[in-house]
Amino acid sequence: MVKVVMLWFVVTNIIGYVVMSEDKNKARRRRERVPEKTLFVLAAMGGALGVLIAMYRKRHKTRHTSFRIGIPLLLLLNVLLYSYFLR
């Protein structure tokens, strides 16, 4: 079970980071964007750390209060759930 949870952690955070980075690239090129709901769902599914890192490394969505508060709260939820499943 531990290996599955760790694999889920790694994969979801990589996906979260990549999707957030791609949304920033799309914003720069004025292309069709990734819906904010999708970014929150990725974070809620366990990828909040990846989304948060990309958010600050790429300086993307950092002015949005919903992201500045919501993503760290989802990260806290992720930590609680991961620690529960890794016991």
Side-chain angles (χ1 to χ4, degrees):
M1 179 73 163
V2 172
K3 288 182 181 182
V4 172
V5 173
M6 291 305 294
L7 180 64
W8 180 262
F9 171 77
V10 171
V11 170
T12 56
N13 281 289
I14 289 171
I15 291 170
Y17 184 88
V18 169
V19 171
M20 189 70 146
S21 297
E22 279 302 307
D23 188 50
K24 175 65 175 189
N25 291 335
K26 288 179 178 184
R28 285 183 181 151
R29 292 180 279 146
R30 303 207 188 283
R31 302 279 182 211
E32 186 175 337
R33 304 280 302 278
V34 175
E36 290 183 357
K37 184 178 182 178
T38 302
L39 298 171
F40 277 108
V41 167
L42 283 170
M45 289 176 57
L49 182 61
V51 170
L52 187 70
I53 291 170
M55 192 170 112
Y56 285 103
R57 282 194 87 208
K58 306 292 183 176
R59 295 186 202 154
H60 188 50
K61 304 274 188 196
T62 55
R63 291 186 179 181
H64 295 251
T65 305
S66 61
F67 277 84
R68 282 195 333 241
I69 295 171
I71 299 300
L73 286 176
L74 287 172
L75 178 59
L76 177 63
L77 177 64
N78 285 183
V79 168
L80 294 173
L81 288 173
Y82 283 128
S83 63
Y84 173 77
F85 286 112
L86 290 175
R87 280 202 265 148

mmCIF file of all heavy atoms in Angstrom, residues 48-75:
data_model
loop_
_atom_site.group_PDB
_atom_site.id
_atom_site.type_symbol
_atom_site.label_atom_id
_atom_site.label_comp_id
_atom_site.label_asym_id
_atom_site.label_seq_id
_atom_site.Cartn_x
_atom_site.Cartn_y
_atom_site.Cartn_z
ATOM 1 N N ALA A 48 -1.481 18.971 -4.794
ATOM 2 C CA ALA A 48 -1.423 20.366 -4.331
ATOM 3 C C ALA A 48 0.010 20.881 -4.232
ATOM 4 O O ALA A 48 0.268 22.045 -4.536
ATOM 5 C CB ALA A 48 -2.125 20.511 -2.993
ATOM 6 N N LEU A 49 0.941 20.042 -3.853
ATOM 7 C CA LEU A 49 2.329 20.484 -3.746
ATOM 8 C C LEU A 49 2.872 20.882 -5.120
ATOM 9 O O LEU A 49 3.508 21.932 -5.266
ATOM 10 C CB LEU A 49 3.202 19.396 -3.117
ATOM 11 C CG LEU A 49 4.661 19.767 -2.904
ATOM 12 C CD1 LEU A 49 4.782 20.946 -1.957
ATOM 13 C CD2 LEU A 49 5.429 18.568 -2.373
ATOM 14 N N GLY A 50 2.614 20.081 -6.132
ATOM 15 C CA GLY A 50 3.062 20.400 -7.486
ATOM 16 C C GLY A 50 2.430 21.670 -8.013
ATOM 17 O O GLY A 50 3.101 22.502 -8.626
ATOM 18 N N VAL A 51 1.138 21.837 -7.762
ATOM 19 C CA VAL A 51 0.438 23.053 -8.200
ATOM 20 C C VAL A 51 1.009 24.262 -7.471
ATOM 21 O O VAL A 51 1.266 25.305 -8.084
ATOM 22 C CB VAL A 51 -1.088 22.922 -7.971
ATOM 23 C CG1 VAL A 51 -1.792 24.246 -8.191
ATOM 24 C CG2 VAL A 51 -1.672 21.854 -8.884
ATOM 25 N N LEU A 52 1.238 24.138 -6.175
ATOM 26 C CA LEU A 52 1.761 25.255 -5.387
ATOM 27 C C LEU A 52 3.172 25.641 -5.824
ATOM 28 O O LEU A 52 3.481 26.831 -5.969
ATOM 29 C CB LEU A 52 1.751 24.900 -3.902
ATOM 30 C CG LEU A 52 2.107 26.030 -2.948
ATOM 31 C CD1 LEU A 52 1.000 27.076 -2.933
ATOM 32 C CD2 LEU A 52 2.322 25.494 -1.546
ATOM 33 N N ILE A 53 4.014 24.661 -6.060
ATOM 34 C CA ILE A 53 5.385 24.952 -6.508
ATOM 35 C C ILE A 53 5.350 25.653 -7.859
ATOM 36 O O ILE A 53 6.034 26.666 -8.058
ATOM 37 C CB ILE A 53 6.231 23.663 -6.560
ATOM 38 C CG1 ILE A 53 6.492 23.156 -5.143
ATOM 39 C CG2 ILE A 53 7.546 23.902 -7.295
ATOM 40 C CD1 ILE A 53 7.109 21.777 -5.084
ATOM 41 N N ALA A 54 4.562 25.154 -8.791
ATOM 42 C CA ALA A 54 4.462 25.786 -10.106
ATOM 43 C C ALA A 54 3.869 27.180 -9.998
ATOM 44 O O ALA A 54 4.285 28.102 -10.717
ATOM 45 C CB ALA A 54 3.618 24.931 -11.045
ATOM 46 N N MET A 55 2.915 27.348 -9.109
ATOM 47 C CA MET A 55 2.258 28.636 -8.930
ATOM 48 C C MET A 55 3.285 29.707 -8.583
ATOM 49 O O MET A 55 3.263 30.806 -9.156
ATOM 50 C CB MET A 55 1.225 28.502 -7.804
ATOM 51 C CG MET A 55 0.280 29.636 -7.666
ATOM 52 S SD MET A 55 -1.040 29.187 -6.502
ATOM 53 C CE MET A 55 -0.655 30.289 -5.185
ATOM 54 N N TYR A 56 4.194 29.406 -7.681
ATOM 55 C CA TYR A 56 5.170 30.403 -7.265
ATOM 56 C C TYR A 56 6.418 30.437 -8.151
ATOM 57 O O TYR A 56 6.988 31.513 -8.365
ATOM 58 C CB TYR A 56 5.531 30.223 -5.786
ATOM 59 C CG TYR A 56 4.399 30.724 -4.916
ATOM 60 C CD1 TYR A 56 3.526 29.846 -4.304
ATOM 61 C CD2 TYR A 56 4.163 32.083 -4.780
ATOM 62 C CE1 TYR A 56 2.468 30.305 -3.541
ATOM 63 C CE2 TYR A 56 3.109 32.565 -4.031
ATOM 64 C CZ TYR A 56 2.267 31.671 -3.413
ATOM 65 O OH TYR A 56 1.205 32.139 -2.671
ATOM 66 N N ARG A 57 6.838 29.309 -8.686
ATOM 67 C CA ARG A 57 8.003 29.319 -9.589
ATOM 68 C C ARG A 57 7.690 30.037 -10.891
ATOM 69 O O ARG A 57 8.534 30.737 -11.444
ATOM 70 C CB ARG A 57 8.468 27.896 -9.896
ATOM 71 C CG ARG A 57 9.262 27.298 -8.746
ATOM 72 C CD ARG A 57 9.997 26.081 -9.149
ATOM 73 N NE ARG A 57 11.283 26.486 -9.699
ATOM 74 C CZ ARG A 57 11.948 25.794 -10.594
ATOM 75 N NH1 ARG A 57 11.454 24.671 -11.049
ATOM 76 N NH2 ARG A 57 13.111 26.196 -11.024
ATOM 77 N N LYS A 58 6.464 29.844 -11.401
ATOM 78 C CA LYS A 58 6.060 30.448 -12.667
ATOM 79 C C LYS A 58 5.338 31.783 -12.460
ATOM 80 O O LYS A 58 4.956 32.424 -13.431
ATOM 81 C CB LYS A 58 5.140 29.497 -13.450
ATOM 82 C CG LYS A 58 5.704 28.115 -13.675
ATOM 83 C CD LYS A 58 6.862 28.170 -14.607
ATOM 84 C CE LYS A 58 7.374 26.758 -14.871
ATOM 85 N NZ LYS A 58 8.442 26.726 -15.827
ATOM 86 N N ARG A 59 5.110 32.148 -11.206
ATOM 87 C CA ARG A 59 4.352 33.363 -10.871
ATOM 88 C C ARG A 59 3.009 33.385 -11.589
ATOM 89 O O ARG A 59 2.676 34.325 -12.311
ATOM 90 C CB ARG A 59 5.150 34.615 -11.200
ATOM 91 C CG ARG A 59 6.386 34.751 -10.377
ATOM 92 C CD ARG A 59 7.065 36.048 -10.634
ATOM 93 N NE ARG A 59 8.464 35.908 -10.238
ATOM 94 C CZ ARG A 59 9.430 36.609 -10.745
ATOM 95 N NH1 ARG A 59 9.179 37.511 -11.663
ATOM 96 N NH2 ARG A 59 10.655 36.432 -10.351
ATOM 97 N N HIS A 60 2.266 32.319 -11.373
ATOM 98 C CA HIS A 60 0.991 32.144 -12.062
ATOM 99 C C HIS A 60 -0.122 31.973 -11.046
ATOM 100 O O HIS A 60 -0.031 31.131 -10.155
ATOM 101 C CB HIS A 60 1.068 30.924 -12.982
ATOM 102 C CG HIS A 60 -0.108 30.757 -13.880
ATOM 103 N ND1 HIS A 60 -0.599 31.772 -14.648
ATOM 104 C CD2 HIS A 60 -0.894 29.688 -14.119
ATOM 105 C CE1 HIS A 60 -1.641 31.328 -15.348
ATOM 106 N NE2 HIS A 60 -1.845 30.061 -15.025
ATOM 107 N N LYS A 61 -1.148 32.778 -11.160
ATOM 108 C CA LYS A 61 -2.330 32.752 -10.288
ATOM 109 C C LYS A 61 -2.011 33.202 -8.872
ATOM 110 O O LYS A 61 -2.791 32.971 -7.954
ATOM 111 C CB LYS A 61 -2.957 31.349 -10.229
ATOM 112 C CG LYS A 61 -3.331 30.763 -11.564
ATOM 113 C CD LYS A 61 -4.679 31.207 -11.968
ATOM 114 C CE LYS A 61 -5.105 30.440 -13.229
ATOM 115 N NZ LYS A 61 -6.223 31.073 -13.874
ATOM 116 N N THR A 62 -0.882 33.867 -8.658
ATOM 117 C CA THR A 62 -0.498 34.282 -7.311
ATOM 118 C C THR A 62 -1.297 35.478 -6.818
ATOM 119 O O THR A 62 -1.301 35.755 -5.622
ATOM 120 C CB THR A 62 1.007 34.624 -7.245
ATOM 121 O OG1 THR A 62 1.310 35.599 -8.238
ATOM 122 C CG2 THR A 62 1.852 33.382 -7.453
ATOM 123 N N ARG A 63 -1.980 36.172 -7.695
ATOM 124 C CA ARG A 63 -2.815 37.306 -7.275
ATOM 125 C C ARG A 63 -4.242 36.884 -6.960
ATOM 126 O O ARG A 63 -4.994 37.659 -6.395
ATOM 127 C CB ARG A 63 -2.846 38.375 -8.362
ATOM 128 C CG ARG A 63 -1.528 39.079 -8.527
ATOM 129 C CD ARG A 63 -1.659 40.207 -9.495
ATOM 130 N NE ARG A 63 -0.389 40.896 -9.641
ATOM 131 C CZ ARG A 63 -0.220 41.939 -10.409
ATOM 132 N NH1 ARG A 63 -1.239 42.415 -11.117
ATOM 133 N NH2 ARG A 63 0.952 42.512 -10.485
ATOM 134 N N HIS A 64 -4.592 35.675 -7.323
ATOM 135 C CA HIS A 64 -5.942 35.175 -7.082
ATOM 136 C C HIS A 64 -6.056 34.704 -5.636
ATOM 137 O O HIS A 64 -5.379 33.755 -5.231
ATOM 138 C CB HIS A 64 -6.272 34.010 -8.014
ATOM 139 C CG HIS A 64 -6.323 34.377 -9.457
ATOM 140 N ND1 HIS A 64 -7.495 34.428 -10.157
ATOM 141 C CD2 HIS A 64 -5.352 34.728 -10.337
ATOM 142 C CE1 HIS A 64 -7.254 34.779 -11.400
ATOM 143 N NE2 HIS A 64 -5.948 34.970 -11.536
ATOM 144 N N THR A 65 -6.928 35.333 -4.879
ATOM 145 C CA THR A 65 -7.117 34.962 -3.480
ATOM 146 C C THR A 65 -7.522 33.501 -3.347
ATOM 147 O O THR A 65 -7.063 32.802 -2.435
ATOM 148 C CB THR A 65 -8.167 35.872 -2.818
ATOM 149 O OG1 THR A 65 -7.759 37.233 -2.999
ATOM 150 C CG2 THR A 65 -8.305 35.585 -1.342
ATOM 151 N N SER A 66 -8.352 33.043 -4.267
ATOM 152 C CA SER A 66 -8.799 31.643 -4.196
ATOM 153 C C SER A 66 -7.626 30.677 -4.311
ATOM 154 O O SER A 66 -7.626 29.617 -3.673
ATOM 155 C CB SER A 66 -9.830 31.350 -5.282
ATOM 156 O OG SER A 66 -9.293 31.555 -6.565
ATOM 157 N N PHE A 67 -6.618 31.033 -5.075
ATOM 158 C CA PHE A 67 -5.437 30.177 -5.213
ATOM 159 C C PHE A 67 -4.474 30.370 -4.042
ATOM 160 O O PHE A 67 -3.895 29.409 -3.552
ATOM 161 C CB PHE A 67 -4.714 30.445 -6.537
ATOM 162 C CG PHE A 67 -5.325 29.699 -7.686
ATOM 163 C CD1 PHE A 67 -6.412 30.222 -8.360
ATOM 164 C CD2 PHE A 67 -4.829 28.479 -8.094
ATOM 165 C CE1 PHE A 67 -6.993 29.545 -9.408
ATOM 166 C CE2 PHE A 67 -5.400 27.789 -9.147
ATOM 167 C CZ PHE A 67 -6.489 28.324 -9.799
ATOM 168 N N ARG A 68 -4.289 31.621 -3.607
ATOM 169 C CA ARG A 68 -3.363 31.891 -2.495
ATOM 170 C C ARG A 68 -3.819 31.226 -1.204
ATOM 171 O O ARG A 68 -2.994 30.868 -0.370
ATOM 172 C CB ARG A 68 -3.210 33.393 -2.271
ATOM 173 C CG ARG A 68 -2.308 34.060 -3.254
ATOM 174 C CD ARG A 68 -1.888 35.443 -2.794
ATOM 175 N NE ARG A 68 -2.847 36.071 -1.916
ATOM 176 C CZ ARG A 68 -3.481 37.198 -2.168
ATOM 177 N NH1 ARG A 68 -3.274 37.833 -3.299
ATOM 178 N NH2 ARG A 68 -4.324 37.706 -1.304
ATOM 179 N N ILE A 69 -5.125 31.076 -1.038
ATOM 180 C CA ILE A 69 -5.661 30.446 0.172
ATOM 181 C C ILE A 69 -6.048 28.992 -0.085
ATOM 182 O O ILE A 69 -5.733 28.104 0.717
ATOM 183 C CB ILE A 69 -6.877 31.244 0.702
ATOM 184 C CG1 ILE A 69 -6.413 32.625 1.156
ATOM 185 C CG2 ILE A 69 -7.574 30.496 1.827
ATOM 186 C CD1 ILE A 69 -7.530 33.578 1.492
ATOM 187 N N GLY A 70 -6.696 28.739 -1.208
ATOM 188 C CA GLY A 70 -7.228 27.414 -1.503
ATOM 189 C C GLY A 70 -6.175 26.343 -1.696
ATOM 190 O O GLY A 70 -6.310 25.229 -1.158
ATOM 191 N N ILE A 71 -5.132 26.641 -2.444
ATOM 192 C CA ILE A 71 -4.109 25.621 -2.718
ATOM 193 C C ILE A 71 -3.355 25.242 -1.443
ATOM 194 O O ILE A 71 -3.177 24.046 -1.176
ATOM 195 C CB ILE A 71 -3.169 26.060 -3.860
ATOM 196 C CG1 ILE A 71 -3.947 26.275 -5.168
ATOM 197 C CG2 ILE A 71 -2.038 25.060 -4.057
ATOM 198 C CD1 ILE A 71 -4.682 25.046 -5.690
ATOM 199 N N PRO A 72 -2.919 26.195 -0.605
ATOM 200 C CA PRO A 72 -2.295 25.771 0.658
ATOM 201 C C PRO A 72 -3.234 24.963 1.560
ATOM 202 O O PRO A 72 -2.796 24.022 2.231
ATOM 203 C CB PRO A 72 -1.899 27.096 1.325
ATOM 204 C CG PRO A 72 -1.684 28.022 0.180
ATOM 205 C CD PRO A 72 -2.741 27.638 -0.827
ATOM 206 N N LEU A 73 -4.524 25.302 1.567
ATOM 207 C CA LEU A 73 -5.472 24.506 2.351
ATOM 208 C C LEU A 73 -5.603 23.090 1.787
ATOM 209 O O LEU A 73 -5.677 22.121 2.547
ATOM 210 C CB LEU A 73 -6.839 25.185 2.393
ATOM 211 C CG LEU A 73 -6.947 26.419 3.285
ATOM 212 C CD1 LEU A 73 -8.326 27.049 3.155
ATOM 213 C CD2 LEU A 73 -6.641 26.075 4.734
ATOM 214 N N LEU A 74 -5.614 22.989 0.467
ATOM 215 C CA LEU A 74 -5.648 21.656 -0.146
ATOM 216 C C LEU A 74 -4.347 20.897 0.119
ATOM 217 O O LEU A 74 -4.366 19.678 0.282
ATOM 218 C CB LEU A 74 -5.925 21.756 -1.645
ATOM 219 C CG LEU A 74 -7.359 22.121 -2.005
ATOM 220 C CD1 LEU A 74 -7.483 22.399 -3.500
ATOM 221 C CD2 LEU A 74 -8.323 21.026 -1.591
ATOM 222 N N LEU A 75 -3.236 21.607 0.191
ATOM 223 C CA LEU A 75 -1.968 20.966 0.538
ATOM 224 C C LEU A 75 -2.038 20.405 1.959
ATOM 225 O O LEU A 75 -1.597 19.277 2.203
ATOM 226 C CB LEU A 75 -0.802 21.947 0.412
ATOM 227 C CG LEU A 75 0.574 21.411 0.793
ATOM 228 C CD1 LEU A 75 0.949 20.216 -0.075
ATOM 229 C CD2 LEU A 75 1.611 22.505 0.675
#
